Amino acid sequence: MSEIVFYTNPMSRGRIVRWMLEETGVPYRTEIVPFGQPMKNEAYCSINPMGKVPSIVHRQKVVTECAAICAYLADAFPQAGLAPPTMDRADYYRWMFFAAGPLEAAVSNRALGFVVPEDRRRMVGYGSYDDVMATLEKAVSSSAYIAGERFTAADVYVGSHIGWGLQFGSIEKRPAFVDYLGRLSQRQAYQRAVELDNTAMAALQKTA
């Protein structure tokens, strides 16, 4: 039996975790969870009460939330070299959780048509969508990768957000974002993950 069980849907944020798992190089077993009743039933909700994917089970412990899963896997499998040394993790943590907080909130609200009134921006963690885009552009332009000159789990997480945003138009198509994603998409683990999820998506659609 695989050490890691990965619960996902190929049309979800589970693609982030798939990429991360492929980067670790460790074996895992995939359980595809269809949207609707299967994702909300008692069996799956006993793993993630939110009825959301992705989730992983490793050593009888459940980890949910994509940023948490990425950080967990980087620490659980240090041989993959996906986290900087502990004393060098300032940028790694900063940008991973910037993407999990301000970036995701700003992009989601904009996609839903919600604009924070200017006099209420201090009430939300991201301030404004424009501030988030300017900050993200500066971050991906300052070095080859988000936390410096080496690829880390933070690139999996930040890069996935940028990839989805560019694909669906929820993130502005700035040259810095396109260049950054271009570097990441050359990675073999990224390409394997995309192929696996596209195959799983095609199979799922056939049974729908």
Side-chain angles (χ1 to χ4, degrees):
M1 181 178 291
S2 299
E3 186 179 18
I4 297 172
V5 182
F6 170 43
Y7 295 90
T8 188
N9 186 295
M11 294 177 284
S12 76
R13 290 174 178 82
R15 283 182 174 253
I16 301 174
V17 175
R18 170 82 75 181
W19 178 13
M20 184 65 193
L21 285 164
E22 289 298 316
E23 290 285 354
T24 67
V26 300
Y28 61 93
R29 174 165 57 87
T30 302
E31 293 286 343
I32 301 296
V33 186
F35 290 115
Q37 194 276 335
M39 202 173 286
K40 300 296 183 181
N41 68 22
E42 184 177 353
Y44 182 66
C45 285
S46 68
I47 296 166
N48 184 353
M50 291 289 290
K52 293 275 193 175
V53 291
S55 303
I56 65 167
V57 179
H58 181 227
R59 296 173 181 163
Q60 300 181 320
K61 295 292 185 181
V62 175
V63 188
T64 65
E65 315 315 316
C66 289
I69 295 172
C70 287
Y72 174 85
L73 289 172
D75 285 346
F77 303 99
Q79 68 274 15
L82 294 167
T86 303
M87 295 304 294
D88 296 328
R89 291 189 183 182
D91 287 338
Y92 171 78
Y93 286 133
R94 177 187 181 184
W95 296 116
M96 184 180 292
F97 294 106
F98 172 82
L103 177 59
E104 178 153 7
V107 168
S108 296
N109 280 348
R110 185 171 187 263
L112 292 169
F114 177 73
V115 179
V116 180
E118 189 170 352
D119 62 346
R120 298 295 182 91
R121 288 179 180 175
R122 65 182 181 181
M123 295 179 64
V124 295
Y126 64 86
S128 73
Y129 175 85
D130 290 340
D131 288 343
V132 170
M133 289 299 106
T135 300
L136 182 63
E137 181 178 28
K138 185 176 180 180
V140 301
S141 302
S142 61
S143 56
Y145 298 106
I146 196 69
E149 297 304 316
R150 57 175 286 191
F151 178 88
T152 67
D155 292 293
V156 173
Y157 192 71
V158 175
S160 293
H161 277 277
I162 290 176
W164 278 69
L166 293 179
Q167 180 180 355
F168 294 107
S170 56
I171 285 180
E172 297 169 355
K173 199 171 184 179
R174 301 186 183 187
F177 299 155
V178 174
D179 290 347
Y180 173 66
L181 184 63
R183 290 193 294 277
L184 301 185
S185 64
Q186 297 303 308
R187 297 184 65 81
Q188 291 183 359
Y190 174 89
Q191 294 171 3
R192 286 196 305 272
V194 169
E195 183 177 357
L196 287 166
D197 275 326
N198 286 348
T199 299
M201 184 167 62
L204 196 60
Q205 289 171 339
K206 284 182 180 179
T207 62

